[in-house]
Amino acid sequence: MALNYIWITFFVATFLFALYETIFHGNIDIWTTIMTSSFDSAKTAFELSLGLTGVLSLWMGIMRIGEKGGVIQFFSRLVSPLFSRLFPGVPKNHPAMGSIFMNVSANMLGLDNAATPLGLKAMQQLQELNPKKDTATDAMLMFLILNASGLVLIPIGIMTYRASCGAANPTDVFIPILIATFVATVVGLVALCIKQRINLLDRVIIAWLLGLIAVIVGIVWFFSSLDPETMQRYSSFAANFLLLSVIIGFLVAGLRKRINVYNNFIEGAKDGFKTAVTIIPYLVAILVAIGMFRASGAMMLITDAIAAAVDAMGFDTNWVETLPTALMKPLSGTGSRGLMVDVCNTFGVDSLPARIAGCIQGSTDTTFYILAVYFGSVGISKTRYAVPFALLADAVGSITGIALAYFFFG
């Protein structure tokens, strides 16, 4: 229901702001701008789904091979001690556990294109266990929060954008992003565990959390000892090497099981194509509402009001320049990336606002895109409390990213 009310709110707010602009500023062209944006956003949603079709077909095909070859079941057993506690409604060693692990791992490596198909596969497997097909289960909510909080160990995309903008040190935001996204994930996870009455003091959960902290500390230590160019090369190498290794590992496992690898890939790819078609209406609904809201100028009004309030209190306003990026991040990945690049171009890629924008961009994932695609792929209309908990992780990530940017670069 939360998505329903938020979706309606976007349209109502857009209409009211356009009415205000017309009556008080005589801006009658705003209606044309808004409607043009609606058509452009609908086209973008379709093109995005079309672009996902090939990636979904590829990775759904690979996942089918991994499933038949026993690899997914292996990962299920590997993470079963932790996931059986975080996902108590999912049977032990269920294939969904392996798919969730693969999705989270791809996200942590910053492999967006690979993570989405793996996540959709996990949602389909979780839906098989769902007694109420239109309502999200606790396991689905936990999975969505893990995705929305966007834990990433190697933020390749942010570093690439900063390099393309001519940053002297494109990787200087690496450590702040790593810490910010970790904090966002922990807060979102802890909040949801409390809501779902999951025992956070369980020895297995604590052991995994401490292990993850050790991994992050190790990554920070290793990469901080490298020069910027080497850091970027190593992070890109690590992510792509592991990705190709997964593909080869799945193929080898399929051959060992003596399955018809090619036919299984084709069957999985067909499912990927069907999924890509299924999510088109959901993406159109979300992106059109967001596009019209942005085109109306309502978001700029919000940021201007906050900037005025911050300035009146005598605080530094550098971070306010990046507020559109923070507000856009849960709504549109493409939109927030565009705003981040705009900050880089306006203030300089090595300026404090540009670095703050980079930290915000990498701190969490695109919440409403994830909700629309993942829930839409399995026909979930009742999302329960997914939105507020996902937005909590977003807010914590953005605030932490801003604070860390001031700490490292201010």
Side-chain angles (χ1 to χ4, degrees), residues 206-254:
I206 292 176
W208 274 80
L209 181 60
L210 292 176
L212 185 57
I213 291 174
V215 169
I216 289 177
V217 170
I219 290 174
V220 169
W221 174 81
F222 174 74
F223 280 102
S224 61
S225 65
L226 303 176
D227 63 83
E229 184 179 351
T230 304
M231 181 190 293
Q232 193 163 1
R233 288 179 59 220
Y234 273 36
S235 59
S236 180
F237 160 75
N240 290 297
F241 174 79
L242 290 172
L243 188 60
L244 184 56
S245 296
V246 166
I247 296 175
I248 299 301
F250 279 27
L251 293 176
V252 171

mmCIF file of all heavy atoms in Angstrom, residues 206-254:
data_model
loop_
_atom_site.group_PDB
_atom_site.id
_atom_site.type_symbol
_atom_site.label_atom_id
_atom_site.label_comp_id
_atom_site.label_asym_id
_atom_site.label_seq_id
_atom_site.Cartn_x
_atom_site.Cartn_y
_atom_site.Cartn_z
ATOM 1 N N ILE A 206 26.360 -12.629 14.855
ATOM 2 C CA ILE A 206 27.468 -11.806 15.358
ATOM 3 C C ILE A 206 28.781 -12.204 14.678
ATOM 4 O O ILE A 206 29.583 -11.344 14.282
ATOM 5 C CB ILE A 206 27.586 -11.941 16.885
ATOM 6 C CG1 ILE A 206 26.370 -11.293 17.555
ATOM 7 C CG2 ILE A 206 28.878 -11.289 17.386
ATOM 8 C CD1 ILE A 206 26.335 -11.461 19.056
ATOM 9 N N ALA A 207 28.999 -13.520 14.504
ATOM 10 C CA ALA A 207 30.240 -13.990 13.874
ATOM 11 C C ALA A 207 30.337 -13.509 12.431
ATOM 12 O O ALA A 207 31.406 -13.061 11.990
ATOM 13 C CB ALA A 207 30.306 -15.516 13.932
ATOM 14 N N TRP A 208 29.234 -13.586 11.679
ATOM 15 C CA TRP A 208 29.240 -13.122 10.290
ATOM 16 C C TRP A 208 29.452 -11.614 10.229
ATOM 17 O O TRP A 208 30.154 -11.108 9.352
ATOM 18 C CB TRP A 208 27.939 -13.514 9.595
ATOM 19 C CG TRP A 208 27.960 -14.891 9.015
ATOM 20 C CD1 TRP A 208 27.774 -16.071 9.681
ATOM 21 C CD2 TRP A 208 28.189 -15.238 7.648
ATOM 22 N NE1 TRP A 208 27.868 -17.137 8.807
ATOM 23 C CE2 TRP A 208 28.123 -16.656 7.557
ATOM 24 C CE3 TRP A 208 28.446 -14.505 6.492
ATOM 25 C CZ2 TRP A 208 28.314 -17.340 6.357
ATOM 26 C CZ3 TRP A 208 28.621 -15.182 5.293
ATOM 27 C CH2 TRP A 208 28.557 -16.577 5.233
ATOM 28 N N LEU A 209 28.824 -10.883 11.153
ATOM 29 C CA LEU A 209 28.970 -9.429 11.166
ATOM 30 C C LEU A 209 30.420 -9.042 11.441
ATOM 31 O O LEU A 209 30.986 -8.175 10.761
ATOM 32 C CB LEU A 209 28.050 -8.820 12.221
ATOM 33 C CG LEU A 209 28.073 -7.289 12.344
ATOM 34 C CD1 LEU A 209 27.667 -6.638 11.032
ATOM 35 C CD2 LEU A 209 27.154 -6.828 13.468
ATOM 36 N N LEU A 210 31.025 -9.698 12.420
ATOM 37 C CA LEU A 210 32.432 -9.426 12.727
ATOM 38 C C LEU A 210 33.334 -9.812 11.555
ATOM 39 O O LEU A 210 34.319 -9.125 11.258
ATOM 40 C CB LEU A 210 32.857 -10.185 13.990
ATOM 41 C CG LEU A 210 32.214 -9.713 15.301
ATOM 42 C CD1 LEU A 210 32.644 -10.614 16.457
ATOM 43 C CD2 LEU A 210 32.588 -8.265 15.595
ATOM 44 N N GLY A 211 32.983 -10.913 10.876
ATOM 45 C CA GLY A 211 33.757 -11.325 9.705
ATOM 46 C C GLY A 211 33.674 -10.305 8.588
ATOM 47 O O GLY A 211 34.686 -9.999 7.931
ATOM 48 N N LEU A 212 32.469 -9.754 8.374
ATOM 49 C CA LEU A 212 32.296 -8.731 7.338
ATOM 50 C C LEU A 212 33.073 -7.469 7.695
ATOM 51 O O LEU A 212 33.677 -6.838 6.820
ATOM 52 C CB LEU A 212 30.809 -8.410 7.169
ATOM 53 C CG LEU A 212 30.434 -7.445 6.036
ATOM 54 C CD1 LEU A 212 30.934 -7.961 4.695
ATOM 55 C CD2 LEU A 212 28.920 -7.236 5.989
ATOM 56 N N ILE A 213 33.057 -7.105 8.966
ATOM 57 C CA ILE A 213 33.827 -5.943 9.406
ATOM 58 C C ILE A 213 35.311 -6.160 9.127
ATOM 59 O O ILE A 213 36.012 -5.260 8.649
ATOM 60 C CB ILE A 213 33.593 -5.674 10.906
ATOM 61 C CG1 ILE A 213 32.158 -5.195 11.138
ATOM 62 C CG2 ILE A 213 34.583 -4.639 11.433
ATOM 63 C CD1 ILE A 213 31.791 -5.042 12.595
ATOM 64 N N ALA A 214 35.780 -7.385 9.395
ATOM 65 C CA ALA A 214 37.189 -7.703 9.149
ATOM 66 C C ALA A 214 37.521 -7.600 7.664
ATOM 67 O O ALA A 214 38.587 -7.094 7.282
ATOM 68 C CB ALA A 214 37.504 -9.111 9.662
ATOM 69 N N VAL A 215 36.601 -8.062 6.812
ATOM 70 C CA VAL A 215 36.813 -7.984 5.364
ATOM 71 C C VAL A 215 36.903 -6.527 4.920
ATOM 72 O O VAL A 215 37.793 -6.150 4.138
ATOM 73 C CB VAL A 215 35.671 -8.699 4.606
ATOM 74 C CG1 VAL A 215 35.734 -8.385 3.114
ATOM 75 C CG2 VAL A 215 35.764 -10.210 4.817
ATOM 76 N N ILE A 216 35.999 -5.696 5.412
ATOM 77 C CA ILE A 216 35.988 -4.282 5.023
ATOM 78 C C ILE A 216 37.248 -3.575 5.502
ATOM 79 O O ILE A 216 37.862 -2.787 4.762
ATOM 80 C CB ILE A 216 34.723 -3.595 5.580
ATOM 81 C CG1 ILE A 216 33.500 -4.112 4.814
ATOM 82 C CG2 ILE A 216 34.825 -2.086 5.481
ATOM 83 C CD1 ILE A 216 32.187 -3.583 5.301
ATOM 84 N N VAL A 217 37.663 -3.863 6.737
ATOM 85 C CA VAL A 217 38.899 -3.280 7.250
ATOM 86 C C VAL A 217 40.089 -3.707 6.392
ATOM 87 O O VAL A 217 40.969 -2.906 6.063
ATOM 88 C CB VAL A 217 39.124 -3.672 8.720
ATOM 89 C CG1 VAL A 217 40.525 -3.264 9.187
ATOM 90 C CG2 VAL A 217 38.075 -3.027 9.607
ATOM 91 N N GLY A 218 40.100 -4.989 6.006
ATOM 92 C CA GLY A 218 41.184 -5.496 5.163
ATOM 93 C C GLY A 218 41.209 -4.832 3.803
ATOM 94 O O GLY A 218 42.285 -4.477 3.287
ATOM 95 N N ILE A 219 40.029 -4.633 3.209
ATOM 96 C CA ILE A 219 39.947 -3.971 1.904
ATOM 97 C C ILE A 219 40.434 -2.526 2.012
ATOM 98 O O ILE A 219 41.181 -2.040 1.160
ATOM 99 C CB ILE A 219 38.501 -4.030 1.361
ATOM 100 C CG1 ILE A 219 38.142 -5.469 0.978
ATOM 101 C CG2 ILE A 219 38.336 -3.110 0.145
ATOM 102 C CD1 ILE A 219 36.692 -5.640 0.571
ATOM 103 N N VAL A 220 39.977 -1.833 3.057
ATOM 104 C CA VAL A 220 40.405 -0.446 3.272
ATOM 105 C C VAL A 220 41.918 -0.373 3.411
ATOM 106 O O VAL A 220 42.581 0.480 2.807
ATOM 107 C CB VAL A 220 39.713 0.146 4.515
ATOM 108 C CG1 VAL A 220 40.354 1.483 4.883
ATOM 109 C CG2 VAL A 220 38.222 0.330 4.268
ATOM 110 N N TRP A 221 42.484 -1.273 4.199
ATOM 111 C CA TRP A 221 43.934 -1.284 4.417
ATOM 112 C C TRP A 221 44.691 -1.562 3.118
ATOM 113 O O TRP A 221 45.664 -0.882 2.790
ATOM 114 C CB TRP A 221 44.296 -2.345 5.455
ATOM 115 C CG TRP A 221 45.786 -2.515 5.613
ATOM 116 C CD1 TRP A 221 46.637 -1.742 6.345
ATOM 117 C CD2 TRP A 221 46.597 -3.522 4.984
ATOM 118 N NE1 TRP A 221 47.934 -2.198 6.217
ATOM 119 C CE2 TRP A 221 47.945 -3.284 5.393
ATOM 120 C CE3 TRP A 221 46.329 -4.595 4.140
ATOM 121 C CZ2 TRP A 221 48.996 -4.089 4.964
ATOM 122 C CZ3 TRP A 221 47.376 -5.401 3.708
ATOM 123 C CH2 TRP A 221 48.689 -5.147 4.119
ATOM 124 N N PHE A 222 44.205 -2.573 2.348
ATOM 125 C CA PHE A 222 44.913 -2.944 1.122
ATOM 126 C C PHE A 222 44.864 -1.832 0.083
ATOM 127 O O PHE A 222 45.899 -1.424 -0.463
ATOM 128 C CB PHE A 222 44.308 -4.224 0.541
ATOM 129 C CG PHE A 222 44.864 -4.607 -0.800
ATOM 130 C CD1 PHE A 222 46.142 -5.134 -0.916
ATOM 131 C CD2 PHE A 222 44.124 -4.422 -1.963
ATOM 132 C CE1 PHE A 222 46.669 -5.483 -2.150
ATOM 133 C CE2 PHE A 222 44.643 -4.761 -3.205
ATOM 134 C CZ PHE A 222 45.920 -5.293 -3.293
ATOM 135 N N PHE A 223 43.672 -1.308 -0.186
ATOM 136 C CA PHE A 223 43.537 -0.307 -1.243
ATOM 137 C C PHE A 223 44.132 1.043 -0.851
ATOM 138 O O PHE A 223 44.551 1.810 -1.721
ATOM 139 C CB PHE A 223 42.073 -0.151 -1.643
ATOM 140 C CG PHE A 223 41.586 -1.221 -2.584
ATOM 141 C CD1 PHE A 223 40.817 -2.265 -2.115
ATOM 142 C CD2 PHE A 223 41.909 -1.191 -3.924
ATOM 143 C CE1 PHE A 223 40.365 -3.256 -2.974
ATOM 144 C CE2 PHE A 223 41.463 -2.169 -4.790
ATOM 145 C CZ PHE A 223 40.696 -3.214 -4.313
ATOM 146 N N SER A 224 44.126 1.346 0.453
ATOM 147 C CA SER A 224 44.700 2.618 0.873
ATOM 148 C C SER A 224 46.213 2.655 0.677
ATOM 149 O O SER A 224 46.825 3.732 0.669
ATOM 150 C CB SER A 224 44.368 2.892 2.346
ATOM 151 O OG SER A 224 44.919 1.888 3.185
ATOM 152 N N SER A 225 46.817 1.474 0.492
ATOM 153 C CA SER A 225 48.263 1.413 0.276
ATOM 154 C C SER A 225 48.642 1.528 -1.197
ATOM 155 O O SER A 225 49.819 1.559 -1.538
ATOM 156 C CB SER A 225 48.814 0.089 0.832
ATOM 157 O OG SER A 225 48.296 -1.022 0.099
ATOM 158 N N LEU A 226 47.640 1.595 -2.081
ATOM 159 C CA LEU A 226 47.902 1.668 -3.523
ATOM 160 C C LEU A 226 47.751 3.089 -4.032
ATOM 161 O O LEU A 226 47.019 3.897 -3.456
ATOM 162 C CB LEU A 226 46.914 0.760 -4.276
ATOM 163 C CG LEU A 226 46.876 -0.726 -3.886
ATOM 164 C CD1 LEU A 226 45.783 -1.438 -4.672
ATOM 165 C CD2 LEU A 226 48.220 -1.386 -4.150
ATOM 166 N N ASP A 227 48.411 3.389 -5.125
ATOM 167 C CA ASP A 227 48.200 4.678 -5.768
ATOM 168 C C ASP A 227 46.873 4.642 -6.508
ATOM 169 O O ASP A 227 46.341 3.565 -6.810
ATOM 170 C CB ASP A 227 49.347 4.991 -6.739
ATOM 171 C CG ASP A 227 49.431 3.986 -7.873
ATOM 172 O OD1 ASP A 227 48.691 4.151 -8.861
ATOM 173 O OD2 ASP A 227 50.223 3.017 -7.755
ATOM 174 N N PRO A 228 46.264 5.807 -6.807
ATOM 175 C CA PRO A 228 44.921 5.861 -7.384
ATOM 176 C C PRO A 228 44.747 5.029 -8.655
ATOM 177 O O PRO A 228 43.748 4.315 -8.803
ATOM 178 C CB PRO A 228 44.724 7.354 -7.677
ATOM 179 C CG PRO A 228 45.613 8.042 -6.705
ATOM 180 C CD PRO A 228 46.796 7.146 -6.531
ATOM 181 N N GLU A 229 45.692 5.106 -9.580
ATOM 182 C CA GLU A 229 45.547 4.369 -10.832
ATOM 183 C C GLU A 229 45.568 2.867 -10.588
ATOM 184 O O GLU A 229 44.759 2.120 -11.157
ATOM 185 C CB GLU A 229 46.673 4.756 -11.800
ATOM 186 C CG GLU A 229 46.540 4.090 -13.176
ATOM 187 C CD GLU A 229 47.650 4.497 -14.129
ATOM 188 O OE1 GLU A 229 48.418 5.425 -13.788
ATOM 189 O OE2 GLU A 229 47.753 3.876 -15.197
ATOM 190 N N THR A 230 46.463 2.416 -9.735
ATOM 191 C CA THR A 230 46.546 0.989 -9.426
ATOM 192 C C THR A 230 45.289 0.516 -8.699
ATOM 193 O O THR A 230 44.781 -0.584 -8.952
ATOM 194 C CB THR A 230 47.786 0.699 -8.552
ATOM 195 O OG1 THR A 230 48.947 1.185 -9.224
ATOM 196 C CG2 THR A 230 47.938 -0.792 -8.306
ATOM 197 N N MET A 231 44.754 1.341 -7.809
ATOM 198 C CA MET A 231 43.536 0.999 -7.092
ATOM 199 C C MET A 231 42.379 0.767 -8.054
ATOM 200 O O MET A 231 41.643 -0.214 -7.949
ATOM 201 C CB MET A 231 43.167 2.114 -6.106
ATOM 202 C CG MET A 231 41.903 1.813 -5.296
ATOM 203 S SD MET A 231 41.299 3.231 -4.358
ATOM 204 C CE MET A 231 42.597 3.442 -3.160
ATOM 205 N N GLN A 232 42.245 1.665 -9.030
ATOM 206 C CA GLN A 232 41.155 1.542 -9.988
ATOM 207 C C GLN A 232 41.338 0.298 -10.850
ATOM 208 O O GLN A 232 40.380 -0.432 -11.116
ATOM 209 C CB GLN A 232 41.088 2.797 -10.859
ATOM 210 C CG GLN A 232 39.803 2.890 -11.672
ATOM 211 C CD GLN A 232 39.585 4.299 -12.195
ATOM 212 O OE1 GLN A 232 40.397 5.187 -11.968
ATOM 213 N NE2 GLN A 232 38.494 4.508 -12.888
ATOM 214 N N ARG A 233 42.565 0.022 -11.263
ATOM 215 C CA ARG A 233 42.832 -1.159 -12.084
ATOM 216 C C ARG A 233 42.555 -2.439 -11.313
ATOM 217 O O ARG A 233 41.938 -3.373 -11.818
ATOM 218 C CB ARG A 233 44.275 -1.148 -12.583
ATOM 219 C CG ARG A 233 44.560 -0.112 -13.668
ATOM 220 C CD ARG A 233 46.026 -0.151 -14.079
ATOM 221 N NE ARG A 233 46.393 -1.466 -14.582
ATOM 222 C CZ ARG A 233 47.553 -2.067 -14.313
ATOM 223 N NH1 ARG A 233 48.428 -1.475 -13.528
ATOM 224 N NH2 ARG A 233 47.813 -3.241 -14.817
ATOM 225 N N TYR A 234 43.016 -2.498 -10.064
ATOM 226 C CA TYR A 234 42.841 -3.699 -9.253
ATOM 227 C C TYR A 234 41.374 -3.961 -8.937
ATOM 228 O O TYR A 234 40.912 -5.099 -8.962
ATOM 229 C CB TYR A 234 43.645 -3.568 -7.947
ATOM 230 C CG TYR A 234 45.079 -4.019 -8.057
ATOM 231 C CD1 TYR A 234 45.807 -3.809 -9.221
ATOM 232 C CD2 TYR A 234 45.727 -4.639 -6.994
ATOM 233 C CE1 TYR A 234 47.129 -4.214 -9.331
ATOM 234 C CE2 TYR A 234 47.057 -5.044 -7.082
ATOM 235 C CZ TYR A 234 47.747 -4.826 -8.260
ATOM 236 O OH TYR A 234 49.059 -5.227 -8.368
ATOM 237 N N SER A 235 40.630 -2.905 -8.605
ATOM 238 C CA SER A 235 39.220 -3.089 -8.273
ATOM 239 C C SER A 235 38.432 -3.559 -9.487
ATOM 240 O O SER A 235 37.570 -4.448 -9.379
ATOM 241 C CB SER A 235 38.629 -1.777 -7.735
ATOM 242 O OG SER A 235 38.753 -0.735 -8.684
ATOM 243 N N SER A 236 38.716 -2.982 -10.647
ATOM 244 C CA SER A 236 38.047 -3.415 -11.873
ATOM 245 C C SER A 236 38.412 -4.850 -12.221
ATOM 246 O O SER A 236 37.559 -5.657 -12.602
ATOM 247 C CB SER A 236 38.416 -2.469 -13.030
ATOM 248 O OG SER A 236 37.784 -2.865 -14.221
ATOM 249 N N PHE A 237 39.708 -5.182 -12.075
ATOM 250 C CA PHE A 237 40.158 -6.550 -12.351
ATOM 251 C C PHE A 237 39.462 -7.554 -11.431
ATOM 252 O O PHE A 237 38.976 -8.599 -11.877
ATOM 253 C CB PHE A 237 41.673 -6.650 -12.166
ATOM 254 C CG PHE A 237 42.171 -8.055 -11.966
ATOM 255 C CD1 PHE A 237 42.249 -8.937 -13.029
ATOM 256 C CD2 PHE A 237 42.524 -8.502 -10.688
ATOM 257 C CE1 PHE A 237 42.687 -10.246 -12.836
ATOM 258 C CE2 PHE A 237 42.969 -9.798 -10.486
ATOM 259 C CZ PHE A 237 43.046 -10.674 -11.562
ATOM 260 N N ALA A 238 39.420 -7.252 -10.127
ATOM 261 C CA ALA A 238 38.842 -8.180 -9.161
ATOM 262 C C ALA A 238 37.379 -8.465 -9.481
ATOM 263 O O ALA A 238 36.940 -9.624 -9.488
ATOM 264 C CB ALA A 238 38.974 -7.615 -7.745
ATOM 265 N N ALA A 239 36.622 -7.411 -9.768
ATOM 266 C CA ALA A 239 35.194 -7.584 -10.039
ATOM 267 C C ALA A 239 34.960 -8.406 -11.307
ATOM 268 O O ALA A 239 34.177 -9.363 -11.309
ATOM 269 C CB ALA A 239 34.519 -6.213 -10.168
ATOM 270 N N ASN A 240 35.644 -8.062 -12.369
ATOM 271 C CA ASN A 240 35.414 -8.756 -13.643
ATOM 272 C C ASN A 240 35.999 -10.170 -13.650
ATOM 273 O O ASN A 240 35.440 -11.082 -14.274
ATOM 274 C CB ASN A 240 35.995 -7.927 -14.790
ATOM 275 C CG ASN A 240 35.193 -6.664 -15.042
ATOM 276 O OD1 ASN A 240 34.026 -6.713 -15.393
ATOM 277 N ND2 ASN A 240 35.816 -5.514 -14.833
ATOM 278 N N PHE A 241 37.112 -10.372 -12.952
ATOM 279 C CA PHE A 241 37.680 -11.713 -12.841
ATOM 280 C C PHE A 241 36.710 -12.650 -12.118
ATOM 281 O O PHE A 241 36.472 -13.780 -12.553
ATOM 282 C CB PHE A 241 39.010 -11.655 -12.091
ATOM 283 C CG PHE A 241 39.590 -13.013 -11.796
ATOM 284 C CD1 PHE A 241 40.254 -13.739 -12.777
ATOM 285 C CD2 PHE A 241 39.452 -13.579 -10.528
ATOM 286 C CE1 PHE A 241 40.781 -15.006 -12.501
ATOM 287 C CE2 PHE A 241 39.971 -14.827 -10.242
ATOM 288 C CZ PHE A 241 40.640 -15.537 -11.239
ATOM 289 N N LEU A 242 36.159 -12.174 -11.015
ATOM 290 C CA LEU A 242 35.219 -12.999 -10.264
ATOM 291 C C LEU A 242 33.956 -13.278 -11.067
ATOM 292 O O LEU A 242 33.405 -14.376 -11.018
ATOM 293 C CB LEU A 242 34.864 -12.318 -8.941
ATOM 294 C CG LEU A 242 35.992 -12.276 -7.901
ATOM 295 C CD1 LEU A 242 35.593 -11.421 -6.710
ATOM 296 C CD2 LEU A 242 36.325 -13.685 -7.436
ATOM 297 N N LEU A 243 33.495 -12.274 -11.833
ATOM 298 C CA LEU A 243 32.298 -12.445 -12.646
ATOM 299 C C LEU A 243 32.496 -13.521 -13.713
ATOM 300 O O LEU A 243 31.659 -14.425 -13.879
ATOM 301 C CB LEU A 243 31.938 -11.113 -13.311
ATOM 302 C CG LEU A 243 30.596 -11.048 -14.047
ATOM 303 C CD1 LEU A 243 29.460 -11.325 -13.099
ATOM 304 C CD2 LEU A 243 30.429 -9.684 -14.698
ATOM 305 N N LEU A 244 33.608 -13.453 -14.433
ATOM 306 C CA LEU A 244 33.883 -14.453 -15.458
ATOM 307 C C LEU A 244 34.125 -15.828 -14.824
ATOM 308 O O LEU A 244 33.734 -16.857 -15.382
ATOM 309 C CB LEU A 244 35.099 -14.040 -16.295
ATOM 310 C CG LEU A 244 35.460 -14.954 -17.477
ATOM 311 C CD1 LEU A 244 34.269 -15.128 -18.416
ATOM 312 C CD2 LEU A 244 36.654 -14.396 -18.236
ATOM 313 N N SER A 245 34.736 -15.842 -13.641
ATOM 314 C CA SER A 245 34.972 -17.103 -12.943
ATOM 315 C C SER A 245 33.657 -17.787 -12.585
ATOM 316 O O SER A 245 33.548 -19.019 -12.635
ATOM 317 C CB SER A 245 35.788 -16.853 -11.670
ATOM 318 O OG SER A 245 37.063 -16.349 -11.982
ATOM 319 N N VAL A 246 32.651 -16.992 -12.218
ATOM 320 C CA VAL A 246 31.331 -17.551 -11.907
ATOM 321 C C VAL A 246 30.748 -18.240 -13.136
ATOM 322 O O VAL A 246 30.228 -19.358 -13.061
ATOM 323 C CB VAL A 246 30.382 -16.442 -11.403
ATOM 324 C CG1 VAL A 246 28.939 -16.934 -11.396
ATOM 325 C CG2 VAL A 246 30.788 -15.994 -10.012
ATOM 326 N N ILE A 247 30.839 -17.570 -14.294
ATOM 327 C CA ILE A 247 30.296 -18.152 -15.524
ATOM 328 C C ILE A 247 30.992 -19.468 -15.847
ATOM 329 O O ILE A 247 30.341 -20.492 -16.114
ATOM 330 C CB ILE A 247 30.446 -17.165 -16.698
ATOM 331 C CG1 ILE A 247 29.613 -15.907 -16.443
ATOM 332 C CG2 ILE A 247 30.034 -17.829 -18.015
ATOM 333 C CD1 ILE A 247 29.796 -14.832 -17.500
ATOM 334 N N ILE A 248 32.326 -19.473 -15.811
ATOM 335 C CA ILE A 248 33.084 -20.685 -16.113
ATOM 336 C C ILE A 248 32.781 -21.779 -15.086
ATOM 337 O O ILE A 248 32.605 -22.956 -15.440
ATOM 338 C CB ILE A 248 34.603 -20.388 -16.133
ATOM 339 C CG1 ILE A 248 34.935 -19.353 -17.217
ATOM 340 C CG2 ILE A 248 35.395 -21.677 -16.364
ATOM 341 C CD1 ILE A 248 34.536 -19.778 -18.614
ATOM 342 N N GLY A 249 32.690 -21.393 -13.807
ATOM 343 C CA GLY A 249 32.394 -22.366 -12.762
ATOM 344 C C GLY A 249 31.048 -23.021 -12.957
ATOM 345 O O GLY A 249 30.895 -24.241 -12.776
ATOM 346 N N PHE A 250 30.046 -22.236 -13.375
ATOM 347 C CA PHE A 250 28.713 -22.788 -13.623
ATOM 348 C C PHE A 250 28.734 -23.758 -14.803
ATOM 349 O O PHE A 250 28.100 -24.824 -14.768
ATOM 350 C CB PHE A 250 27.717 -21.662 -13.896
ATOM 351 C CG PHE A 250 27.200 -20.995 -12.646
ATOM 352 C CD1 PHE A 250 27.966 -20.973 -11.491
ATOM 353 C CD2 PHE A 250 25.966 -20.382 -12.630
ATOM 354 C CE1 PHE A 250 27.503 -20.361 -10.337
ATOM 355 C CE2 PHE A 250 25.481 -19.771 -11.490
ATOM 356 C CZ PHE A 250 26.248 -19.756 -10.333
ATOM 357 N N LEU A 251 29.458 -23.381 -15.849
ATOM 358 C CA LEU A 251 29.536 -24.253 -17.030
ATOM 359 C C LEU A 251 30.227 -25.573 -16.691
ATOM 360 O O LEU A 251 29.773 -26.645 -17.093
ATOM 361 C CB LEU A 251 30.288 -23.540 -18.150
ATOM 362 C CG LEU A 251 29.599 -22.311 -18.767
ATOM 363 C CD1 LEU A 251 30.511 -21.646 -19.786
ATOM 364 C CD2 LEU A 251 28.275 -22.699 -19.424
ATOM 365 N N VAL A 252 31.321 -25.497 -15.934
ATOM 366 C CA VAL A 252 32.049 -26.705 -15.531
ATOM 367 C C VAL A 252 31.163 -27.591 -14.659
ATOM 368 O O VAL A 252 31.137 -28.821 -14.816
ATOM 369 C CB VAL A 252 33.347 -26.331 -14.787
ATOM 370 C CG1 VAL A 252 34.000 -27.575 -14.167
ATOM 371 C CG2 VAL A 252 34.321 -25.650 -15.737
ATOM 372 N N ALA A 253 30.427 -26.974 -13.740
ATOM 373 C CA ALA A 253 29.526 -27.750 -12.877
ATOM 374 C C ALA A 253 28.447 -28.453 -13.705
ATOM 375 O O ALA A 253 28.090 -29.610 -13.424
ATOM 376 C CB ALA A 253 28.880 -26.831 -11.844
ATOM 377 N N GLY A 254 27.940 -27.751 -14.727
ATOM 378 C CA GLY A 254 26.945 -28.365 -15.593
ATOM 379 C C GLY A 254 27.502 -29.552 -16.350
ATOM 380 O O GLY A 254 26.834 -30.588 -16.497
#
